[in-house]
Amino acid sequence: MNTMVQLPDADKYARCVRASKAVRWDIEKDVIRGRSLEISRKFLPDGLTLIRETASLSDAEKRFAGQIQGRTYANIFGLVERFITAKLLEIGQDHWLGNQHALEALVRFSDEELKHQALFRRIEQMMGEVMPAGYRFDVDPDQVARAVLSKSSWAVLVLTLHIELFVQNHYSQSIEPDAELSDLFKDVFLFHWKDECQHVVLDELELRRLDATLTQDERDRGVDDFIALVLAVDGILQAQAKDDVSYFAAHCGRVAPSREMENLAKQFLKAYRWQYIFSGATHPRFQAILKDMITPAQFGRIEAALAALNRSTN
Ligand SMILES: [Fe+2]
Ligand SMILES: [Fe+2]
């Protein structure tokens, strides 16, 4: 029988530093390698795009719709990494003195997120080269980061943990096993995943460290802040689903009936909510960590907010 060895926190930080050094990669030399995106192949797997559920689209249209979602997928990560980097740099100040492995782990984490943002800008530019003009992603990462960072650190760290946990699941359960994906697109998320494996350990360490300093009232406000952040994410997803389907309609090569496109926009929103909200919120590790920190009543408030979103999707 395998037994999980429980390492002391100081050892976990040191192990994250070692792992970060071992997987260190370069955008051009390791990921891009002179390749371009294969527009004849899928970008995102069906398990994330849910595009198979859309019976009205031809196979080529499904591929195009999935590629649009893949482009948005890369852009969403570039977006959230702006506030994640800022928050990690801020809380990293607590480690200036003392455990230098913890300081190094968070410095490397921030450095990696800056590299990820550069990678996703590079990929957006490459997708722009192979896809028709007119795609829009009008969300300003600084503006979003300012709004997110106005909430309590506890809530921002819970949101960050949620994101970095679903990144891992998306890659290992959907992206990695799909043989039909663009090799380059797949590699982007392979290299991203290599770093996120350490990040998620650090997210939990920092969240639990912060949580131990909070009063009941502060944690309770943190729960409200987290719910507000999830709803703010949803607002971005609602707008992007509409923009992405307008882009699809303009370039799918036929006159698409408005009723069909309204349904497709609903389907895109359902996929986006699955990708960025529910696949993380239902992650067993996420739920276990949350339940460790908050009361059943507080957990119930989060569940109720998510259930309301889910009802409005279906
Ligand atoms: Fe990242
Ligand atoms: Fe990360």
Side-chain angles (χ1 to χ4, degrees):
M1 194 177 92
N2 277 335
T3 3
M4 284 275 289
V5 180
Q6 287 295 326
L7 293 173
D9 287 357
D11 292 351
K12 289 181 186 167
Y13 285 111
R15 198 167 63 164
C16 282
V17 171
R18 283 198 299 277
S20 160
K21 286 178 178 169
V23 301
R24 180 94 190 144
W25 48 269
D26 178 83
I27 294 176
E28 296 301 328
K29 189 166 68 70
D30 300 310
V31 186
I32 310 286
R33 287 189 271 133
R35 296 176 291 176
S36 46
L37 283 160
E38 311 97 312
I39 198 68
S40 61
R41 306 197 44 195
K42 291 198 290 188
F43 290 174
L44 265 192
D46 298 341
L48 292 177
T49 64
L50 311 181
I51 216 75
R52 273 215 198 111
E53 296 175 17
T54 314
S56 68
L57 303 186
S58 69
D59 285 348
E61 287 173 342
K62 282 180 184 161
R63 187 173 64 234
F64 181 44
Q67 287 168 341
I68 297 169
Q69 289 197 20
R71 190 167 178 178
T72 290
Y73 191 74
N75 279 315
I76 292 274
F77 284 115
L79 176 76
V80 298
E81 285 166 341
R82 186 68 54 93
F83 74 73
I84 291 175
T85 312
K87 181 52 71 182
L88 267 292
L89 280 171
E90 182 198 308
I91 60 172
Q93 291 181 34
D94 294 345
H95 300 293
W96 277 1
L97 308 180
N99 180 352
Q100 297 298 283
H101 291 308
L103 178 62
E104 186 176 0
L106 293 191
V107 167
R108 297 187 75 89
F109 182 130
S110 310
D111 177 54
E112 286 155 4
E113 291 298 4
L114 287 167
K115 182 169 67 177
H116 299 172
Q117 290 179 61
L119 171 65
F120 293 125
R121 283 195 296 273
R122 177 83 166 91
I123 288 300
E124 163 54 28
Q125 176 220 336
M126 293 177 80
M127 288 195 275
E129 286 164 8
V130 294
M131 293 175 74
Y135 170 86
R136 296 173 60 172
F137 188 82
D138 295 333
V139 201
D140 176 9
D142 287 335
Q143 208 180 330
V144 169
R146 268 187 214 102
V148 171
L149 296 171
S150 73
K151 302 295 184 189
S152 64
S153 288
W154 187 89
V156 178
L157 286 179
V158 172
L159 183 68
T160 303
L161 173 73
H162 158 270
I163 292 169
E164 306 213 282
L165 278 169
F166 76 58
V167 164
Q168 293 201 14
N169 263 15
H170 290 183
Y171 181 74
S172 58
Q173 293 178 8
S174 302
I175 297 176
E176 197 278 332
D178 194 328
E180 294 176 39
L181 300 193
S182 147
D183 292 330
L184 174 54
F185 195 85
K186 202 170 186 170
D187 275 351
V188 166
F189 289 95
L190 164 66
F191 284 93
H192 187 237
W193 169 81
K194 288 182 183 201
D195 292 341
E196 298 302 321
C197 292
Q198 284 76 258
H199 294 187
V200 84
V201 175
L202 295 168
D203 291 335
E204 183 180 344
L205 284 171
E206 291 305 295
L207 176 59
R208 287 189 188 275
R209 185 176 68 78
L210 177 76
D211 183 72
T213 68
L214 296 192
T215 64
Q216 283 295 344
D217 280 353
E218 285 168 335
R219 192 174 297 105
D220 199 61
R221 280 198 296 277
V223 169
D224 286 339
D225 277 355
F226 175 65
I227 292 169
L229 287 173
V230 171
L231 296 179
V233 168
D234 191 63
I236 293 172
L237 302 181
Q238 290 189 35
Q240 193 60 34
K242 282 196 189 118
D243 280 354
D244 285 355
V245 169
S246 299
Y247 174 69
F248 174 87
H251 300 285
C252 66
R254 65 180 165 97
V255 179
S258 58
R259 185 65 188 267
E260 185 192 345
M261 290 303 101
E262 279 165 29
N263 286 335
L264 187 61
K266 282 188 195 151
Q267 189 61 28
F268 265 52
L269 180 57
K270 182 179 175 183
Y272 290 169
R273 284 175 166 167
W274 167 244
Q275 290 164 27
Y276 307 110
I277 297 177
F278 295 118
S279 64
T282 56
H283 193 294
R285 185 82 195 130
F286 179 70
Q287 296 205 341
I289 295 169
L290 259 191
K291 282 178 180 167
D292 253 8
M293 295 187 299
I294 61 180
T295 65
Q298 289 166 334
F299 190 82
R301 268 160 44 208
I302 295 173
E303 277 192 320
L306 292 169
L309 271 189
N310 202 18
R311 274 196 302 277
S312 70
T313 308
N314 295 309

